[in-house]
Amino acid sequence: AQTVTQSQPEMSVQEAETVTLSCTYDTSESDYYLFWYKQPPSRQMILVIRQEAYKQQNATENRFSVNFQKAAKSFSLKISDSQLGDAAMYFCAYGSARQLTFGSGTQLTVLP
Amino acid sequence: GAVVSQHPSRVICKSGTSVKIECRSLDFQATTMFWYRQFPKQSLMLMATSNEGSKATYEQGVEKDKFLINHASLTLSTLTVTSAHPEDSSFYICSAIPPNRNTEAFFGQGTRLTVV
């Protein structure tokens, strides 16, 4: 079974600074997807960024980028120029065969 | 993007009664939908996979008779919490994956269930 580990239960960052959230996973599959979801206080799950395992190039979405290290099974999220609206719980997720496995989450606080 | 709508967003019910939660895919057909439960400050725990026209697949430890799932159409799945008790109070979330999106799931707004 796949497992996803987020070793940072809580993180904080100063507004306008950069923060990196860590995620590692375990799998024996070669074809899969990785996601970062954001859950703000409203608790609506919002997709932040996705990465296909077969792509070597790291995904980017505006201020959000990932560092995908397939051999190390690592998938970290970097948030640049942090904004107050980025404060939320962030979940790393592994996807394969239309199933998702979530990490335990990282609560991000943005300090003004 | 794809839209998944969940209703109600909040519900309070008395112990011993049943509560139905609806999950709809508004702009795509979903042969499969997923139901999660989330405790405060914890991750999403998959409860069951809802399959259109057939029985749901439940995760280990989830009571099938307590959490009834029906997926009668390609756009609607329902979760019924039967004979609810205070320990069933939680946040329930559904999701669905559009046919052309591989494993990228879209989530409903969630339902906060409080059993008193």
Side-chain angles (χ1 to χ4, degrees):
Chain A
Q2 291 78 24
T3 58
V4 179
T5 302
Q6 293 179 249
S7 59
Q8 306 154 315
E10 299 178 345
M11 291 281 285
S12 62
V13 62
Q14 207 73 37
E15 196 175 3
E17 296 296 309
T18 297
V19 65
T20 299
L21 308 183
S22 301
C23 173
T24 58
Y25 59 95
D26 188 24
T27 184
S28 58
E29 298 176 331
S30 59
D31 189 19
Y32 53 88
Y33 296 81
L34 295 165
F35 304 90
W36 278 98
Y37 282 91
K38 167 184 177 181
Q39 189 180 41
S42 68
R43 302 192 79 171
Q44 171 73 60
M45 295 286 285
I46 301 167
L47 178 67
V48 175
I49 199 165
R50 61 175 279 171
Q51 174 82 42
E52 291 90 339
Y54 66 86
K55 290 187 177 180
Q56 292 187 339
Q57 187 173 6
N58 290 324
T60 63
E61 285 288 341
N62 300 312
R63 298 183 294 107
F64 300 87
S65 62
V66 298
N67 184 1
F68 173 46
Q69 301 291 327
K70 191 172 184 178
K73 296 179 182 173
S74 171
F75 183 63
S76 61
L77 174 69
K78 184 171 82 171
I79 306 174
S80 304
D81 185 25
S82 297
Q83 300 176 358
L84 294 177
D86 295 333
M89 179 74 89
Y90 286 81
F91 292 102
C92 177
Y94 172 99
S96 176
R98 301 176 70 79
Q99 290 269 12
L100 283 178
T101 301
F102 288 92
S104 55
T106 297
Q107 180 69 50
L108 178 66
T109 301
V110 180
L111 305 170
Chain B
V3 179
V4 176
S5 178
Q6 190 173 339
H7 178 81
S9 57
R10 294 175 182 265
V11 59
I12 301 173
C13 72
K14 291 186 177 180
S15 187
T17 63
S18 295
V19 174
K20 181 184 286 188
I21 302 170
E22 293 186 346
C23 182
R24 294 181 184 273
S25 55
L26 297 186
D27 51 1
F28 65 96
Q29 293 184 333
T31 56
T32 305
M33 291 186 176
F34 304 90
W35 288 96
Y36 297 87
R37 183 172 182 174
Q38 186 180 30
F39 291 102
K41 297 189 178 181
Q42 293 190 24
S43 189
L44 280 69
M45 180 188 74
L46 180 65
M47 298 174 64
T49 302
S50 172
N51 304 298
E52 188 270 334
S54 65
K55 292 182 179 180
T57 305
Y58 290 82
E59 296 300 302
Q60 191 173 8
V62 177
E63 298 177 60
K64 300 178 183 180
D65 295 334
K66 167 164 279 295
F67 300 101
L68 298 180
I69 291 173
N70 183 279
H71 194 151
S73 79
L74 287 171
T75 59
L76 174 64
S77 174
T78 60
L79 168 67
T80 302
V81 183
T82 63
S83 186
H85 290 283
E87 56 265 32
D88 298 324
S89 298
S90 192
F91 192 70
Y92 295 89
I93 310 175
C94 71
S95 77
I97 301 174
N100 60 343
R101 294 294 189 104
N102 290 305
T103 314
E104 183 177 335
F106 291 83
F107 290 83
Q109 304 93 320
T111 298
R112 177 174 297 284
L113 170 63
T114 303
V115 184
V116 298

